[in-house]
């Protein structure tokens, strides 16, 4: 690689494809990686399991799927030309529009010729002699690459239903994360939905509008705030675009990677009850993540958090007519916003429909799926279709499904047996030249992920370019730097209320997964500064060494 900026991919002996960089995954991350690396003169190819680009927005086609932050913020910012080539139509884009956008990007940047679809990477092994990654796919490809970048996504591996009797159900079953491309018509059907996370909260109003009867099995209620979605105000967008460079800079320097939350620097406990309520009301009226930033201590102080939790509980009681259902929908066991806040359109209202029933799957757990429906500890239910909205093996799932072997043949699975350990969420000690995008230990899923993805891609491509420019072949995190970073990630998490929730941030949704708070909660802006400082000090905490 690295010696030339015109290196091209080639097929070596035995049909081995030789590359500077192999990228796994063609979502927001893999597509931007391809664009940047290609522009820098590296030979690069992207391997994608799906038959189209778009990642999350390719797979999650369930009705109601849409983004949880404002459209113009959840989009690439690296090219004004690209930004000007696309006009969002809604305040919160729906999945079809997001997928169309990502396809537009693939065409406009001419990415497709270097993306190999329908190809799942099954293994990646570091050859210590050749100092190259040997990547294998389920299509029989072998790739020899200097660098391997896992752009495999944090929420790309679904949690498979493991209820007893799953295979016996005679009707169709669907998982929100693998929704059929042609859509599903629930008209006239009795439908059961299992789960009440974001995917369920977005899809339930749509399924309820079609189904003859919808029964929802809720184990843990979620906090949800209204989106107040609608057509994107094009005048407001024009104002935003007029200050685009400044807005994008502020996003990058912010805590969450977006501006629309309008953070309030006051404590919820320092203001009068009237002022607090007025702030909550104003933010409920605005909609979206604005509520989470109503005061500066909502996720760091239990008493502050209780004020917003009670406000949301009141809202639920005001919307949902049946008091028992309203109470069941009210979270009581964990603090507000310590799971990613759900942003809904008509979710609580749906429970006022005559054709919707909410079942408490905490007190009467699902015991088995039956040929005709499912059974709980209290009753049997008959369904024509079942929807599993049960989430993902998040953050580590896609990586642990690839047989990744670093120095000495040690597997990433072994190294992460007690939870993921990384340096900056970017690299793992013992796995030279292997990068992860938005990996555990980075702000990732706590942020506007497009902002975090761009930062990681820029940092990684800068690092690879640095190696080339300095005639270096290998880059590797030191164990000491990794240990210190892991300790820091945990220390920061422990200053917040997040660990109090049994969330997928902690791996709590997957039986047997180690309970470790995976993302870095220090904030997108702070984290960027840390990464930049590491690079400025000659990649402090990494060892750079010459090629073989
Ligand atoms: P992905 O989009 O997940 O793409 C990874 C790709 O890698 C996938 O296409 C997958 O097929 C492929 N892949 C994985 N393993 C392999 C393998 N072994 N071989 C080959 N290919 C492989 N984030 C936000 O910031 N705001 C939101 O509103 C938001 N909404 C979301 C809604 C849903 C329903 C979900 C599931 C996630 C949402 N996210 C949101 C998070 C979202 O995942 C990121 O915003 C972003 O799309 C991630 O892009 P990515 O390219 O890193 O990963
Ligand atoms: O998954 P989840 P998701 N028996 O894990 C329940 C992003 N996203 O797909 O909480 C009974 O949140 C489980 O119950 P419990 C966003 O980051 C964003 O909804 O474990 N129930 C829970 O209710 C989000 O956080 C958007 O008790 C079972 C549900 O299934 C992430 O993706 C939209 C069960 C799973 O909820 C994941 O969201 C969609 C069992 N055995 C997704 N197993 C936006 O709005 C699981 N459950 C942008």
């Amino acid at each position: 690689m690295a010696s030339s900026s015109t290196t091209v991919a080639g097929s070596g002996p035995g049909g081995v494809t030789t590359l500077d960089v192999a990228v796994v995954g063609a979502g927001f991350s893999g597509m931007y990686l391809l664009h940047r690396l290609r522009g820098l003169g590296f030979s690069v190819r992207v391997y994608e399991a799906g038959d189209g680009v778009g990642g999350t927005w390719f797979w999650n086609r369930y009705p109601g799927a849409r983004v949880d932050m404002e459209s113009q913020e959840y989009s690439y910012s690296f090219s004004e030309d690209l930004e000007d080539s696309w006009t969002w139509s809604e305040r919160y884009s729906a999945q079809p529009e997001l997928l169309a956008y990502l396809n537009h990007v693939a065409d406009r940047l001419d990415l497709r010729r270097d993306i190999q679809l329908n190809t799942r990477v099954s293994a990646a092994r570091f050859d210590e002699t050749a100092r190259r990654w040997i990547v294998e796919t389920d299509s029989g490809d072998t790739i020899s690459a200097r660098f391997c970048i896992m752009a495999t996504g944090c929420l790309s591996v679904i949690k498979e239903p493991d209820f007893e009797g799953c295979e016996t159900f005679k009707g169709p079953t669907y998982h929100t994360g693998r929704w059929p491309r042609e859509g599903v018509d629930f008209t006239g059907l009795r439908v059961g939905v299992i789960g009440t996370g974001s995917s369920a909260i977005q899809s339930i109003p749509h399924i309820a509008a079609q189904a003859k009867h919808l029964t929802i099995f809720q184990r843990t209620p979620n906090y949800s705030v209204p989106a107040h979605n609608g057509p994107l105000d094009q005048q407001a967008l024009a104002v935003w675009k007029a200050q685009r460079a400044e807005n994008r800079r502020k996003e990058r320097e912010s805590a969450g990677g977006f501006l629309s939350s309008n953070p309030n620097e006051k404590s919820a406990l320092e203001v009068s009850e009237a002022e607090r309520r007025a702030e909550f009301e104003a933010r409920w009226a605005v909609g979206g993540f604005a509520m989470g930033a109503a005061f500066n201590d909502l996720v760091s102080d239990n008493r502050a958090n209780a004020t917003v939790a009670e406000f949301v509980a009141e809202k639920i009681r005001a919307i949902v007519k049946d008091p028992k259902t309203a109470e069941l929908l009210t979270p009581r066991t964990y603090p507000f916003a310590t799971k990613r806040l759900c942003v809904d359109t008509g979710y609580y209202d749906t429970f006022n429909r005559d054709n919707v029933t909410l079942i408490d799957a905490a007190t009467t757990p699902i015991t088995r799926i039956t040929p005709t429906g499912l059974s709980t500890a209290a009753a049997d239910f008959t369904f024509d279709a079942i929807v599993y909205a049960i989430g993902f093996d998040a953050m580590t799932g896609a990586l642990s499904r690839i047989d990744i072997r670093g120095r000495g043949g040690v597997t990433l699975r072994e190294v992460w047996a007690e939870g993921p350990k990384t340096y900056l969420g970017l690299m793992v000690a013992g796995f030279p030249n292997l990068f992860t995008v938005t990996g555990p230990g980075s702000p990732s899923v706590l942020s506007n992920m497009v902002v975090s993805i761009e930062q990681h891609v820029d940092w990684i491509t800068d690092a690879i370019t640095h190696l080339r420019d300095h005639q270096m072949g290998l880059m590797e995190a030191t164990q000491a730097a990794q240990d210190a970073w892991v300790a820091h990630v945990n220390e920061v998490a422990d200053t917040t209320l997040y660990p109090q929730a049994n969330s997928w941030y902690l791996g709590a949704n997957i039986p047997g997964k180690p309970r470790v708070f995976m993302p870095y909660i220090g904030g997108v802006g702070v984290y960027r500064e840390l990464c930049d400082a590491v690079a400025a000090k000659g990649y402090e905490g990494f060892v750079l060494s010459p090629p073989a």
Side-chain angles (χ1 to χ4, degrees):
M1 84 134 201
S3 53
S4 153
S5 63
T6 53
T7 319
V8 287
S11 263
V16 176
T17 301
T18 308
L19 295 170
D20 290 335
V21 191
V23 173
V24 190
F28 266 104
S29 302
M31 288 171 57
Y32 182 38
L33 274 165
L34 173 56
H35 175 67
R36 274 227 63 194
L37 287 163
R38 198 199 257 168
L40 289 162
F42 294 102
S43 64
V44 50
R45 195 158 175 77
V46 177
Y47 297 88
E48 166 56 53
D51 68 8
V53 300
T56 285
W57 305 105
F58 171 87
W59 296 108
N60 292 266
R61 298 164 190 252
Y62 60 82
R66 62 178 70 248
V67 69
D68 60 10
M69 52 191 56
E70 300 197 0
S71 301
Q72 72 279 6
E73 299 213 64
Y74 186 80
S75 59
Y76 288 123
S77 72
F78 63 83
S79 157
E80 292 205 347
D81 173 61
L82 183 62
E83 284 197 75
D84 287 337
S85 71
W86 187 263
T87 304
W88 297 106
S89 65
E90 288 183 280
R91 184 177 173 199
Y92 298 96
S93 308
Q95 175 272 331
E97 192 167 353
L98 284 155
L99 185 58
Y101 167 74
L102 285 157
N103 275 284
H104 164 76
V105 173
D107 290 332
R108 195 168 175 94
L109 303 181
D110 187 24
L111 300 180
R112 295 187 199 276
R113 64 188 157 89
D114 285 319
I115 300 176
Q116 186 170 321
L117 300 173
N118 298 307
T119 307
R120 180 170 292 283
V121 167
S122 49
R125 170 176 61 84
F126 184 62
D127 178 336
E128 290 188 64
T129 310
R131 296 189 158 197
R132 300 182 72 87
W133 280 91
I134 309 303
V135 177
E136 287 171 13
T137 76
D138 64 0
S139 316
D141 309 278
T142 302
I143 302 113
S144 166
R146 277 267 183 236
F147 298 93
C148 181
I149 308 181
M150 294 296 174
T152 43
C154 294
L155 295 160
S156 58
V157 172
I158 58 169
K159 180 179 167 180
E160 298 286 350
D162 57 358
F163 299 95
E164 205 185 318
C166 257
E167 66 298 341
T168 64
F169 182 63
K170 293 211 173 81
T173 61
Y174 307 98
H175 193 297
T176 46
R178 289 290 177 275
W179 205 257
R181 190 177 297 230
E182 63 280 10
V184 182
D185 183 2
F186 291 108
T187 306
L189 302 184
R190 295 159 299 179
V191 183
V193 171
I194 302 175
T196 50
S198 286
S199 302
I201 282 176
Q202 289 189 326
S203 56
I204 280 168
H206 294 263
I207 300 173
Q210 283 188 340
K212 183 174 171 198
H213 197 92
L214 175 61
T215 308
I216 296 145
F217 296 86
Q218 171 191 273
R219 196 166 60 181
T220 314
N222 245 299
Y223 290 96
S224 192
V225 294
H228 299 310
N229 187 37
L232 186 57
D233 179 342
Q234 295 299 324
Q235 265 185 336
L237 183 62
V239 171
W240 193 88
K241 275 191 175 177
Q243 295 153 5
R244 179 166 49 196
E246 178 68 357
N247 286 334
R248 292 301 201 178
R249 182 186 63 74
K250 285 184 186 161
E251 281 174 1
R252 294 183 190 114
E253 292 173 0
S254 69
F258 62 104
L259 304 180
S260 45
S261 63
N262 192 17
N264 180 358
E265 286 315 319
K266 287 184 188 167
S267 157
L269 304 174
E270 78 182 46
V271 299
S272 67
E273 195 177 336
E275 187 181 336
R276 199 162 51 226
R277 170 165 288 278
E279 188 71 30
F280 289 147
E281 285 289 2
R283 286 169 184 264
W284 189 269
V286 168
F289 284 164
M291 184 60 74
F295 293 100
N296 69 1
D297 48 1
L298 294 183
V299 289
S300 59
D301 184 307
N302 273 313
R303 287 173 311 144
N305 194 285
T307 64
V308 67
E310 181 46 33
F311 177 82
V312 176
E314 276 178 35
K315 287 293 179 194
I316 297 171
R317 287 196 288 274
I319 300 169
V320 179
K321 292 188 181 126
D322 173 42
K324 278 192 185 148
T325 305
E327 180 52 30
L328 198 50
L329 285 166
T330 304
R332 297 284 182 202
T333 55
Y334 63 98
F336 172 84
T338 50
K339 298 183 182 189
R340 191 162 176 127
L341 198 53
C342 301
V343 180
D344 73 273
T345 299
Y347 177 63
Y348 293 120
D349 263 328
T350 301
F351 293 89
N352 293 326
R353 297 178 65 106
D354 292 337
N355 69 333
V356 171
T357 308
L358 182 65
I359 301 294
D360 181 0
T363 53
T364 57
I366 297 167
T367 50
R368 62 178 295 122
I369 306 291
T370 64
T372 52
L374 67 76
S375 302
T376 68
D380 299 327
F381 297 83
T382 302
F383 297 124
D384 302 305
I386 294 177
V387 175
Y388 295 109
I390 56 175
F392 298 87
D393 183 355
M395 299 207 76
T396 54
L399 296 168
S400 66
R401 276 160 183 77
I402 304 173
D403 184 18
I404 301 174
R405 291 170 190 265
R407 285 192 188 282
V410 173
T411 65
L412 189 67
R413 285 177 204 143
E414 289 167 61
V415 174
W416 284 9
E418 288 165 7
K421 299 180 180 79
T422 69
Y423 179 36
L424 296 170
L426 284 159
M427 294 194 98
V428 182
F431 296 79
N433 288 6
L434 178 84
F435 294 92
T436 52
V437 182
T438 64
S442 73
S444 183
V445 290
L446 297 175
S447 67
N448 172 356
M449 286 201 69
V450 183
V451 172
S452 289
I453 286 166
E454 286 191 335
Q455 185 257 334
H456 263 196
V457 170
D458 289 339
W459 195 94
I460 292 167
T461 51
D462 287 352
I464 292 177
T465 308
H466 176 91
L467 293 181
R468 176 176 69 185
D469 294 348
H470 292 79
Q471 289 80 47
M472 289 291 175
L474 279 192
M475 176 165 186
E476 186 172 1
T478 67
Q479 190 65 50
Q482 179 168 296
D483 291 347
W485 183 251
V486 170
H488 176 62
V489 169
N490 287 322
E491 182 186 56
V492 180
D494 288 341
T495 64
T496 74
L497 308 182
Y498 278 80
Q500 294 180 25
N502 284 324
S503 68
W504 57 259
Y505 293 146
L506 284 145
N509 64 329
I510 302 292
K513 196 163 167 171
R515 195 183 165 97
V516 173
F517 193 78
M518 293 185 280
Y520 175 57
I521 205 169
V524 163
V526 169
Y527 172 79
R528 174 185 297 271
E529 280 179 22
L530 289 169
C531 289
D532 288 349
V534 162
K537 288 182 201 154
Y539 293 93
E540 188 179 48
F542 294 96
V543 175
L544 312 189
S545 49

